[in-house]
Amino acid sequence: AQSVTQLDSQVPVFEEAPVELRCNYSSSVSVYLFWYVQYPNQGLQLLLKYLSGSTLVKGINGFEAEFNKSQTSFHLRKPSVHISDTAEYFCAVSQIGYSTLTFGKGTMLLVSP
Amino acid sequence: DTAVSQTPKYLVTQMGNDKSIKCEQNLGHDTMYWYKQDSKKFLKIMFSYNNKELIINETVPNRFSPKSPDKAHLNLHINSLELGDSAVYFCASSQVGGQGFNEQFFGPGTRLTVL
């Protein structure tokens, strides 16, 4: 079984500041890692994914994440946020070969002017 | 064209009623899912169907019954609705790739409110 921990339920930040949203996972087997974004009253959209290869992955909207196997982390970063980045961000894992996603509890990113 | 669509978008009903939520995907995917998002935004898998067959059924009360008439549709029927069923229900679909990777595409959600 896998589990995902998102350490911050809410992250307030000013526009144009950098941000990091933290994600740690636990699994006894190899996993794929994902970040999804949920804008208010909308469904989930895939931001980026790690399957294999380079540990630094780039996604849409200027986001990137780094996979750290020794620390079992997959933190999401953006060097300069916009008001439009205000949304709920979910980290998720899936066991390789299986289709089910296990989500963290989400981090609300609040960007203010 | 919407890739994964759900109807209705909002559903308000009384305790004890039976209701259904419909989901359709036009992506040609072979696997569909239902997730429940509670009031604290926590997302949890409920069911997964592959080629019209149930492959995952998490610890969900048997009042919830998924029905897949074909690969493009996965409907969720709920009997004897309870207050605790109030949540946002998301449908998703995916196609398992060569590495076993499957990006799941989500519908817009159905907000169910039980009074």
Side-chain angles (χ1 to χ4, degrees):
Chain A
Q2 302 85 45
S3 67
V4 178
T5 302
Q6 291 182 245
L7 297 165
D8 305 300
S9 59
Q10 207 171 81
V11 172
V13 65
F14 289 110
E15 196 175 16
E16 298 183 8
V19 71
E20 179 180 83
L21 305 183
R22 296 180 291 171
C23 172
N24 287 88
Y25 69 95
S26 171
S27 178
S28 55
V29 297
S30 296
V31 294
Y32 294 138
L33 295 152
F34 309 86
W35 276 98
Y36 280 84
V37 61
Q38 183 180 26
Y39 297 105
N41 299 313
Q42 294 187 28
L44 280 77
Q45 180 183 0
L46 183 66
L47 263 183
L48 49 77
K49 59 186 181 285
Y50 173 78
L51 306 181
S52 63
S54 173
T55 57
L56 182 64
V57 292
K58 293 189 184 299
I60 60 173
N61 301 339
F63 283 92
E64 63 181 32
E66 186 155 20
F67 169 55
N68 187 319
K69 189 173 182 180
S70 62
Q71 296 186 2
T72 60
S73 68
F74 190 54
H75 300 334
L76 181 70
R77 302 186 186 100
K78 186 169 182 178
S80 175
V81 294
H82 300 277
I83 298 281
S84 59
D85 291 323
T86 294
E88 192 86 27
Y89 291 80
F90 292 93
C91 182
V93 301
S94 72
Q95 183 178 338
I96 293 174
Y98 291 86
S99 60
T100 305
L101 286 170
T102 299
F103 285 90
K105 293 193 174 184
T107 297
M108 182 67 194
L109 175 63
L110 292 165
V111 183
S112 52
Chain B
D1 280 343
T2 304
V4 182
S5 59
Q6 295 178 229
T7 54
K9 190 171 174 64
Y10 299 97
L11 183 54
V12 181
T13 187
Q14 301 286 334
M15 268 196 330
N17 284 350
D18 303 338
K19 291 293 178 185
S20 291
I21 306 172
K22 295 185 177 182
C23 177
E24 177 181 1
Q25 55 96 2
N26 62 7
L27 298 167
H29 289 165
D30 62 2
T31 305
M32 296 183 72
Y33 314 80
W34 277 108
Y35 288 86
K36 179 181 180 181
Q37 186 176 44
D38 63 24
S39 58
K40 295 183 179 179
K41 298 282 182 86
F42 184 50
L43 265 164
K44 190 171 181 185
I45 183 77
M46 299 175 69
F47 300 102
S48 172
Y49 261 76
N50 178 266
N51 283 319
K52 293 171 56 182
E53 289 188 25
L54 181 65
I55 56 174
I56 295 173
N57 180 356
E58 295 295 316
T59 52
V60 175
N62 57 16
R63 297 181 296 104
F64 290 79
S65 53
K67 288 185 170 55
S68 181
D70 55 57
K71 276 175 52 173
H73 296 85
L74 181 63
N75 304 324
L76 183 64
H77 189 75
I78 316 170
N79 289 327
S80 303
L81 278 156
E82 300 177 356
L83 293 176
D85 297 332
S86 294
V88 181
Y89 292 85
F90 287 100
C91 177
S93 73
S94 71
Q95 181 74 30
V96 176
Q99 284 183 290
F101 165 63
N102 57 103
E103 177 178 347
Q104 293 190 19
F105 291 80
F106 284 78
T110 295
R111 183 175 294 276
L112 171 64
T113 303
V114 182
L115 304 175

